Amino acid sequence: MTTSRLRRLAAVLRLAALRHLPRLRTLPGVAALWVLSSAAAFGADQPIVNEKFADLEPAIQMLRSEVGKDRREVVKNAMLLTESEGKTFWPLYDEYRAAQHKLGDRRVRLITDFAANRNAMSEDEASRLTQEALSIDKDRTSIKEDYVKKMSKVLSARTVARFFQIDAKLDAVVDAELAARIPLIH
């Protein structure tokens, strides 16, 4: 993926976030940026945001749907799949994104919990949030490892490597936006 495409994707992500709800520019709104790396919205068993930010959840879900389509289009353009490869790849891609989506729910909750407690966070809460962040990172890697195995059974190693390279670049855009917007704990 070219640098210009990554810049375009970053711009698309920022514009989509800012266009839907002005409040998404606030700290709790940065949680929405993480979920941009998900495909379409799936039902959640519990609220994905801290209760203090429940009014953001509908906007986050709408944003997920819209920007998830943009991510899929970027992957489609960058993968250079043949028709037969596409028939094999896209169902696996959808499963993979669904698994990553669940982690997105956890990350949104983590970020909004942080935002709700940022100015007066207890030692126990800081420890819990740190452990959850590490758990999310481990689970993210585990999902990637599982899908490298699954995809490698039916696609060439070069195709699998290309997808995970693209996926890592897209995740890096989102992670960079989060890092730039989330302030340190007081």
Side-chain angles (χ1 to χ4, degrees):
M1 180 174 291
T2 65
T3 303
S4 63
R5 278 194 171 160
L6 282 174
R7 284 187 185 132
R8 186 179 138 266
L9 176 64
V12 167
L13 295 176
R14 281 191 297 271
L15 287 173
L18 297 176
R19 180 175 65 231
H20 286 289
L21 188 66
R23 195 158 166 225
L24 288 176
R25 286 181 249 170
T26 63
L27 176 62
V30 300
L33 292 172
W34 170 256
V35 298
L36 297 179
S37 61
S38 299
F42 299 93
D45 294 341
Q46 59 183 356
I48 62 169
V49 295
N50 182 286
E51 295 76 25
K52 290 183 180 180
F53 305 110
D55 60 321
L56 285 178
E57 192 163 352
I60 290 172
Q61 296 296 350
M62 182 173 53
L63 198 54
R64 274 182 146 162
S65 178
E66 182 176 314
V67 180
K69 292 173 190 171
D70 290 339
R71 183 181 180 115
R72 185 181 181 92
E73 190 64 29
V74 170
V75 171
K76 180 181 176 186
N77 291 333
M79 282 300 292
L80 310 173
L81 298 170
T82 65
E83 189 175 328
S84 63
E85 287 173 323
K87 288 180 182 178
T88 303
F89 172 78
W90 290 111
L92 288 169
Y93 173 85
D94 291 338
E95 288 175 19
Y96 171 75
R97 293 309 315 157
Q100 291 290 0
H101 176 90
K102 290 178 186 174
L103 289 181
D105 287 351
R106 288 174 56 197
R107 187 97 183 250
V108 168
R109 183 62 190 224
L110 175 73
I111 293 168
T112 58
D113 284 351
F114 164 79
N117 297 299
R118 177 170 111 43
N119 293 322
M121 189 174 298
S122 71
E123 288 292 314
D124 288 342
E125 185 66 7
S127 178
R128 183 190 73 76
L129 294 175
T130 301
Q131 291 306 309
E132 176 64 1
L134 292 172
S135 177
I136 291 168
D137 287 345
K138 286 178 189 175
D139 291 348
R140 187 178 188 184
T141 299
S142 178
I143 290 168
K144 288 181 181 199
E145 289 171 344
D146 290 347
Y147 277 87
V148 165
K149 289 176 189 172
K150 287 181 182 184
M151 290 179 176
S152 294
K153 290 178 183 178
V154 294
L155 296 164
S156 74
R158 288 177 61 97
T159 300
V160 174
R162 183 174 182 87
F163 167 67
F164 281 97
Q165 184 181 23
I166 294 164
D167 190 62
K169 288 177 182 263
L170 293 171
D171 286 346
V173 170
V174 174
D175 290 344
E177 285 292 324
L178 283 170
R181 293 173 184 243
I182 298 175
L184 297 174
I185 294 172
H186 285 254

